[in-house]
Amino acid sequence: MSTAPTAPATPTPTPTPTSTPTRQDTGGQHTRRFGLPIATALVMGNIIGGGIFLLPASVAPFGTISLVAFGVLTLGALALALVFGRLARRHPTTGGPYVYARAAFGDFAGFLAAWSYWITAWVSNAALAVAAVGYLDVLLPLHGSTTATIAAALLIQWLPALANLAGTRYVGAVQLVATVLKFVPLLLVAVGGFFFFDSANLGPFRAGDESALGAVSASAAILLFSYLGVESAAVSAGEVRDPRRNVGRATVLGTLAAAALYLLTMVSVFGTVPHDDLVGSSAPFADAVDLMFGGGWGGTAVACMALVSMLGALNGWTLLSAQTPYAAARDGLFPKVFTVKRRGVPTVGVLVTVVLASLLTVYNYTAGPSGVFEILVLVTTFTATVPYLLSAAAQIYFLLSGQADRVSRSRLVRDTLLALAAFGFSLWLVAGSGYAAVYQGVLFLFAGVLVYAWMAARRRATATGGDAAEAVNPAPEA
């Protein structure tokens, strides 16, 4: 690891690398550091959840100009991925955006990154479980029983949690298998669709009344969040083998693979399903499969693919939701209990996250249409971008502060442009989340300030108590 950076105000201690064994991290046969394939699968699996199965229909009303917006967003996501790779080379430890923000701007910025990322993770897990039940209902009708629906949603959440509690060895295995099972059928649809491609199905380039710029911006607002998860390898850097090298490679490879699959599937569905039908479709992949191969089994096939996709995403996000609090707790910014680690996994973080997500899921099904679940999910679209902004700003800080041990001078211009592009992409994510999400998300962030005040006060009291004890019982002179 590089030498500790100089904090803006007071010196910030260098975070302890997670690879250093601790009393809680017992290791053993269930602990295994991720290699490049599994780290790449983690990025790919977390970027591509269940949204891909609705994406073509969501942007169809804007016309094929939405593909232009997708291309712009892909460039922004790749810039962010490259920035995470650069940052991981300097800080190859668990925590990702939290570590970078804290190193550059101090404890408070680091806490905000950890807090906002943690909120995003457990609320998103609840959302994924609820969405997965919708697809499960196609295979096993559950809509007639609220109890059965809740039980299914909780089972979908707890199975990935149990895989995490079993250790990183099983997390990696589940992630790799889920990614393969998810990508094979998606790629089959994407490539197979070109054999049934008809340009007449594409519809107009710009279907609405907006200007070209307005159509790109409007479709981008829907597509923006399809890239959330590019930070996955960076957040788990402490569990990645040779993180200085593999985190950056996994991040870029995973993002490129996800982008290629997004583009192939969107173009394939656009050219297979007539535009007017696609605009009103609630299951565009099912419609495409039915048109390609005939029969009515498309819905079942898509439901199976979606379930595998979401279980893989839940497996990865459950790990990430525990890693950031673990890193923050290790530095005294989250309760110490989050540092408990077994078999390479922060077990308390996993348990707290899955319990909170389970409670939110139960509330969603019992509160009725007046519940706040949809609002909370909308808030996560804002909270997810806060760590991105802070990470890009941290890279800019390192580059412009002239820290020789952190800046590759031969690549200074290129790295600066990448960091600025990543920062702009993150701002676009914030803008795309909407006024309501930004307003409510800021309230969530400010609620975390109270937690920070409590933890800072405890750290101060502990430090003061230690100083007092030393004053009463000074160390004997040599």
Side-chain angles (χ1 to χ4, degrees):
M1 176 184 290
S2 304
T3 55
T6 303
T10 59
T12 301
T14 303
T16 304
T18 56
S19 56
T20 302
T22 64
R23 185 173 57 86
Q24 289 110 332
D25 191 359
T26 57
Q29 62 176 336
H30 300 289
T31 303
R32 176 179 293 175
R33 292 168 71 83
F34 302 149
L36 180 61
I38 292 180
T40 303
L42 185 67
V43 175
M44 293 161 60
N46 287 349
I47 290 178
I48 300 180
I52 189 173
F53 297 98
L54 292 176
L55 207 56
S58 299
V59 297
F62 303 103
T64 52
I65 195 174
S66 58
L67 297 176
V68 176
F70 178 80
V72 174
L73 291 175
T74 299
L75 293 177
L78 284 174
L80 189 60
L82 289 168
V83 167
F84 277 126
R86 297 283 189 273
L87 289 168
R89 289 183 66 86
R90 288 187 284 268
H91 294 278
T93 57
T94 293
Y98 156 74
V99 174
Y100 315 144
R102 181 172 179 259
F105 309 120
D107 286 348
F108 185 63
F111 173 83
L112 285 181
W115 177 259
S116 59
Y117 195 83
W118 187 52
I119 290 173
T120 301
W122 64 265
V123 177
S124 296
N125 281 3
L128 274 171
V130 171
V133 169
Y135 286 102
L136 181 62
D137 193 54
V138 176
L139 305 174
L140 301 172
L142 302 169
H143 54 272
S145 171
T146 301
T147 303
T149 301
I150 292 175
L154 295 180
L155 181 64
I156 288 171
Q157 285 183 353
W158 279 89
L159 285 177
L162 292 175
N164 273 263
L165 293 174
T168 53
R169 177 175 184 170
Y170 296 99
V171 174
V174 170
Q175 194 65 31
L176 191 59
V177 171
T179 301
V180 171
L181 291 177
K182 170 170 57 178
F183 273 68
V184 168
L186 285 177
L187 201 56
L188 178 63
V189 172
V191 175
F194 285 95
F195 291 97
F196 301 89
F197 189 91
D198 186 351
S199 59
N201 292 329
L202 294 175
F205 178 68
R206 196 179 57 197
D209 297 329
E210 305 97 332
S211 63
L213 181 60
V216 169
S217 299
S219 55
I222 298 174
L223 293 165
L224 279 171
F225 308 105
S226 57
Y227 280 114
L228 295 182
V230 296
E231 75 290 344
S232 302
V235 172
S236 297
E239 280 62 56
V240 175
R241 191 181 306 119
D242 190 8
R244 294 181 188 275
R245 176 180 174 86
N246 285 335
V247 167
R249 294 170 66 193
T251 302
V252 173
L253 289 174
T255 304
L256 281 173
L261 192 57
Y262 276 142
L263 183 60
L264 284 173
T265 52
M266 285 181 62
V267 173
S268 178
V269 174
F270 271 34
T272 305
V273 182
H275 179 262
D276 292 341
D277 294 339
L278 185 59
V279 169
S281 175
S282 60
F285 269 73
D287 293 341
V289 170
D290 287 341
L291 288 169
M292 282 189 283
F293 304 109
W297 53 274
T300 301
V302 170
C304 291
M305 288 189 292
L307 279 173
V308 171
S309 178
M310 291 181 182
L311 284 172
L314 274 168
N315 180 66
W317 276 106
T318 299
L319 177 64
L320 298 188
S321 66
Q323 297 285 25
T324 298
Y326 165 78
R330 189 187 54 202
D331 298 324
L333 300 181
F334 260 54
K336 188 176 180 180
V337 69
F338 282 95
T339 62
V340 175
K341 208 173 186 186
R342 295 286 186 272
R343 298 170 176 174
V345 174
T347 52
V348 172
V350 169
L351 288 171
V352 171
T353 294
V354 74
V355 167
L356 288 173
S358 297
L359 292 174
L360 186 56
T361 301
V362 172
Y363 178 77
N364 173 65
Y365 286 114
T366 57
S370 60
V372 298
F373 181 76
E374 291 78 7
I375 297 175
L376 290 175
V377 172
L378 185 63
V379 168
T380 65
T381 61
F382 166 75
T383 58
T385 62
V386 173
Y388 293 176
L389 280 169
L390 290 172
S391 296
Q395 174 72 339
I396 293 171
Y397 167 77
F398 292 142
L399 292 170
L400 298 183
S401 62
Q403 298 182 31
D405 63 322
R406 298 179 179 278
V407 180
S408 175
R409 295 188 183 279
S410 63
R411 297 183 297 189
L412 179 61
V413 174
R414 187 186 71 179
D415 285 354
T416 301
L417 290 175
L418 281 174
L420 289 173
F423 191 85
F425 175 68
S426 302
L427 278 180
W428 199 6
L429 286 172
V430 173
S433 61
Y435 293 107
V438 172
Y439 169 74
Q440 292 152 358
V442 168
L443 294 181
F444 265 76
L445 287 182
F446 285 169
V449 174
L450 183 62
V451 178
Y452 177 80
W454 172 50
M455 294 304 302
R458 290 188 61 182
R459 292 176 66 198
R460 177 79 177 186
T462 301
T464 303
D467 293 343
E470 185 177 349
V472 173
N473 302 298
E477 296 183 4

mmCIF file of all heavy atoms in Angstrom, residues 106 147 153 172 454 471:
data_model
loop_
_atom_site.group_PDB
_atom_site.id
_atom_site.type_symbol
_atom_site.label_atom_id
_atom_site.label_comp_id
_atom_site.label_asym_id
_atom_site.label_seq_id
_atom_site.Cartn_x
_atom_site.Cartn_y
_atom_site.Cartn_z
ATOM 1 N N GLY A 106 -11.009 13.047 4.533
ATOM 2 C CA GLY A 106 -11.166 12.877 5.973
ATOM 3 C C GLY A 106 -12.332 11.988 6.364
ATOM 4 O O GLY A 106 -13.050 11.444 5.515
ATOM 5 N N THR A 147 -49.331 -14.369 2.542
ATOM 6 C CA THR A 147 -48.362 -15.103 3.360
ATOM 7 C C THR A 147 -47.345 -15.833 2.500
ATOM 8 O O THR A 147 -46.140 -15.791 2.763
ATOM 9 C CB THR A 147 -49.094 -16.111 4.268
ATOM 10 O OG1 THR A 147 -50.039 -15.423 5.081
ATOM 11 C CG2 THR A 147 -48.106 -16.857 5.145
ATOM 12 N N ALA A 153 -40.503 -14.095 -0.857
ATOM 13 C CA ALA A 153 -39.583 -12.953 -0.899
ATOM 14 C C ALA A 153 -38.478 -13.098 0.142
ATOM 15 O O ALA A 153 -37.303 -12.797 -0.127
ATOM 16 C CB ALA A 153 -40.354 -11.652 -0.684
ATOM 17 N N GLY A 172 -18.114 -16.808 -4.018
ATOM 18 C CA GLY A 172 -17.523 -16.799 -5.350
ATOM 19 C C GLY A 172 -18.101 -17.871 -6.251
ATOM 20 O O GLY A 172 -18.374 -17.629 -7.423
ATOM 21 N N TRP A 454 -22.590 10.591 16.959
ATOM 22 C CA TRP A 454 -22.533 9.625 18.061
ATOM 23 C C TRP A 454 -21.211 8.858 18.034
ATOM 24 O O TRP A 454 -20.534 8.711 19.068
ATOM 25 C CB TRP A 454 -23.716 8.662 17.928
ATOM 26 C CG TRP A 454 -23.681 7.500 18.875
ATOM 27 C CD1 TRP A 454 -23.483 7.542 20.226
ATOM 28 C CD2 TRP A 454 -23.823 6.112 18.532
ATOM 29 N NE1 TRP A 454 -23.507 6.270 20.750
ATOM 30 C CE2 TRP A 454 -23.709 5.374 19.742
ATOM 31 C CE3 TRP A 454 -24.058 5.440 17.336
ATOM 32 C CZ2 TRP A 454 -23.808 3.995 19.769
ATOM 33 C CZ3 TRP A 454 -24.160 4.054 17.368
ATOM 34 C CH2 TRP A 454 -24.037 3.354 18.570
ATOM 35 N N ALA A 471 -1.986 9.765 31.907
ATOM 36 C CA ALA A 471 -1.518 10.847 32.782
ATOM 37 C C ALA A 471 -1.436 10.401 34.238
ATOM 38 O O ALA A 471 -0.549 10.763 34.986
ATOM 39 C CB ALA A 471 -2.450 12.055 32.645
#
